[in-house]
Amino acid sequence: MEKLDKRMEELLQSEGDLTEKQRNILAAATEMFAQKGFAATSTSEIAKKAGVAEGTIFRHYKTKKDLLLSIVSPTMLRMISPFILKDINKVLNQDYERFEDFLREMIKNRQAFLDNNLQVVKVVIQEIPFHPELRDQFIQHVGQKVYQRFSETVQYYQAKGQIADIPPATVLRNVSSVILGYFATKYIVAPVGWDEEKEIDELIAFLAKGLAPE
Amino acid sequence: MEKLDKRMEELLQSEGDLTEKQRNILAAATEMFAQKGFAATSTSEIAKKAGVAEGTIFRHYKTKKDLLLSIVSPTMLRMISPFILKDINKVLNQDYERFEDFLREMIKNRQAFLDNNLQVVKVVIQEIPFHPELRDQFIQHVGQKVYQRFSETVQYYQAKGQIADIPPATVLRNVSSVILGYFATKYIVAPVGWDEEKEIDELIAFLAKGLAPE
DNA sequence: ATTATAAGTGAGTAATCACTCACTAAGAAA
DNA sequence: TTTCTTAGTGAGTGATTACTCACTTATAAT
């Protein structure tokens, strides 16, 4: 756990000492990967959009795939970092009176993250099916670390009588399904007249009722 | 509506008069698109796996993208056909006493479809982000036809007092999110010791409770 | 049997691909 | 200044790309 935290901190901070051209490359690549996909984006296009020579890309990234991983891997960690970092981000470690309060805090927190990282998250989701390393990384982190932490939380509220006696894995699945559906609607479908507060209230009420005992 | 049904029937039956080589091409392309993605699959690979000359592919499909659409478009329609075809598939037109019975029938029905079309559905989902035509097609069908039909169903059960007074769009979003999460878990994560009956029961109970009035 | 239409072939093509390398520019260390 | 390291360049490379076309084979209509 100590080691993991160290590695994560490194990854999360590793964008400080970059050249301007390097940052341009990452930005251009992210934008095009999100738009056309990794396989359909050529390194010459990236170089052109970043305003650098094509050789410059390969000075910093051994291969095109290496460039993808440099973009995607840190973001994958940051997506789930609140669930596995105990010290840095305290959001999910406070004890909330009700499960609904915990849910609301989690949604707000991850929504803020999404607002700032929409494109990269899009790349992560789009590319995971095509790159086994990414899939394995994701399964390993979410399937082990996140599941472990979340299970404890669920059991806590089950002991308080707020959640029915359902396997924590099922609770996790339903909660994340509904929240992902909410985010997908907000960011992809983007309906007109979207009342965020109201939607979140309804979402939480739905989850709380669905998971309540009896 | 009449016209749509006609067009759909055409599309759905349009695989009967194909040559063996043509079927080989479709099968090979589907398999590789599902595995590596459309952009990362070359026509020479497809030809090789299908056991045909590369020219044969272009005899039947003007472009590589045309091949993709020939695979994906009919499947997209078949994914949602039970929701918009009134006569052929009667599953969702029968009146079920309880909303839960309707849900159970719908899940069983679409699960059977998934079992027989896993790969193509995978291609649909994976490629939609990269092809605006596909996205538009999907949004048009799901966002209009499916939403319309589903709204009627929801309002029916709302009148019976089984569903709370929530906007039908929200009901549709939550129901499909949870069901998609269920399918994703079953087909992607594929946990060991997966008790299908029990999972479906819990899923339906969760949805019914979450959507119930009060 | 003849003709017509569609199915299938595979060598060929221009364009593009990811990547290399010899080189220059710049900044810091000595 | 000199030296060393890193950043940046862009022409060049062989391989691969989607697609074409002149051609042969097969099926079916006359």
Side-chain angles (χ1 to χ4, degrees), chain B residues 147-160:
Chain B
Y147 170 66
Q148 199 172 10
R149 289 276 282 133
F150 194 87
S151 285
E152 295 167 18
T153 304
V154 167
Q155 281 159 11
Y156 172 74
Y157 290 105
Q158 279 177 330
K160 284 182 104 175

Side-chain angles (χ1 to χ4, degrees), chain A residues 126 173 177 181 185 199 209-210 212, chain B residues 129 173 177 181 185 199 209-210 212:
Chain A
Q126 285 173 354
R173 164 159 54 87
S177 295
T185 306
E199 291 293 339
K209 274 198 301 178
Chain B
R173 163 156 56 83
S177 295
T185 307
E199 292 292 340
K209 273 198 302 178

Side-chain angles (χ1 to χ4, degrees), chain A residues 22-74:
Chain A
Q22 281 190 59
R23 268 181 273 116
N24 287 346
I25 291 172
L26 289 178
T30 301
E31 195 172 323
M32 309 213 61
F33 288 165
Q35 213 175 84
K36 315 176 33 175
F38 170 77
T41 303
S42 68
T43 49
S44 68
E45 284 176 294
I46 297 171
K48 195 178 168 189
K49 164 160 269 189
V52 302
E54 203 172 344
T56 308
I57 294 177
F58 293 96
R59 169 103 357 210
H60 299 289
Y61 309 96
K62 282 189 301 188
T63 64
K64 185 185 161 194
K65 184 151 197 169
D66 196 47
L67 171 59
L68 173 71
L69 295 180
S70 299
I71 291 171
V72 149
S73 283

Side-chain angles (χ1 to χ4, degrees), chain B residues 49 51 53 62 73 79 87 98 105 115 130 140-141 147 193:
Chain B
K49 164 160 272 191
K62 283 189 301 191
S73 284
M79 280 172 68
D87 316 75
R98 300 177 308 161
E105 197 55 38
D115 280 330
F130 306 130
Q140 190 192 325
H141 287 130
Y147 170 66

